[in-house]
Amino acid sequence: MEYILKEPERQISTKIIQIWRTTNTIGHGSFLLGFGALLAASHYWDWYNWVSITLYVLIGITVLSAIFSILIEPVFIQRTWRYDVDENFIQLKHGRWNVEHKIIPMAKIEYVTTDQGPFLRKAGLYSLSIGTTASSHKIPAIPEEEALKLRSLIASYANVKEDDSFE
């Protein structure tokens, strides 16, 4: 019997775009502050000229990287992320140039968890982590109600039991 998989259709929340923009801004801003401090120290203590030139180049690269990862990348990633769950498989698909399409059999799933950091909590989103023996997979930015239902659904399909032995 041949099982035909249809392409995954569910999309992650559009709220994740603003979260990714915020976190990328924090990360790039930290690097720019660090490079700025080193540049100020270079001028104050009159370090070798090549140090200042290198720092200016690094600042330029960081600014270009920030433009891409703050303005373009979050929208692009959100639009290409797809997932789907049925009684036999979980499908994860993302990327436009380098498309990654993972098919995870329910029989291989050992655990399923939901994660929520401060930015996701503010937006009412969760990330769903699915673990197998060999690896862990994540579906980012799922609305709270859907994430909790999906976690229970995957657990029931995969026959994941709650372990109370650690209490």
Side-chain angles (χ1 to χ4, degrees):
M1 183 173 140
E2 188 176 316
Y3 187 80
I4 298 172
L5 282 175
K6 60 182 176 88
E7 285 289 312
E9 295 176 0
R10 291 180 170 178
Q11 217 175 358
I12 61 175
S13 174
T14 55
K15 292 179 184 177
I16 195 65
I17 294 170
Q18 189 58 43
I19 294 169
W20 284 336
R21 284 182 172 161
T22 302
T23 57
N24 289 345
T25 301
I26 292 169
H28 282 86
S30 300
F31 271 101
L32 287 173
L33 282 174
F35 289 145
L38 287 172
L39 192 60
S42 170
H43 289 300
Y44 182 76
W45 283 296
D46 198 27
W47 291 348
Y48 293 109
N49 193 32
W50 65 267
V51 174
S52 296
I53 293 170
T54 304
L55 288 170
Y56 281 120
V57 168
L58 289 174
I59 289 171
I61 290 170
T62 303
V63 168
L64 292 176
S65 173
I67 290 169
F68 176 75
S69 69
I70 294 169
L71 300 178
I72 300 166
E73 187 181 35
V75 174
F76 186 74
I77 293 173
Q78 189 277 330
R79 287 186 182 168
T80 61
W81 240 107
R82 299 280 186 275
Y83 68 96
D84 220 342
V85 176
D86 65 24
E87 58 276 351
N88 297 313
F89 300 103
I90 296 174
Q91 293 186 71
L92 310 175
K93 186 175 183 178
H94 56 89
R96 185 71 83 202
W97 292 294
N98 185 20
V99 178
E100 190 172 326
H101 190 172
K102 296 179 185 177
I103 300 171
I104 308 162
M106 286 294 177
K108 301 289 183 185
I109 294 174
E110 291 187 352
Y111 66 87
V112 59
T113 62
T114 50
D115 312 350
Q116 188 182 49
F119 292 111
L120 290 177
R121 186 174 346 201
K122 185 176 179 188
L125 300 174
Y126 279 88
S127 288
L128 191 74
S129 297
I130 302 144
T132 62
T133 304
S135 60
S136 180
H137 310 279
K138 189 171 273 200
I139 305 172
I142 304 172
E144 182 175 2
E145 186 177 316
E146 184 180 345
L148 299 177
K149 284 181 185 177
L150 205 53
R151 181 184 64 187
S152 297
L153 183 67
I154 292 170
S156 68
Y157 284 160
N159 293 323
V160 174
K161 304 280 190 267
E162 281 195 37
D163 187 7
D164 295 333
S165 63
F166 294 109
E167 292 182 4

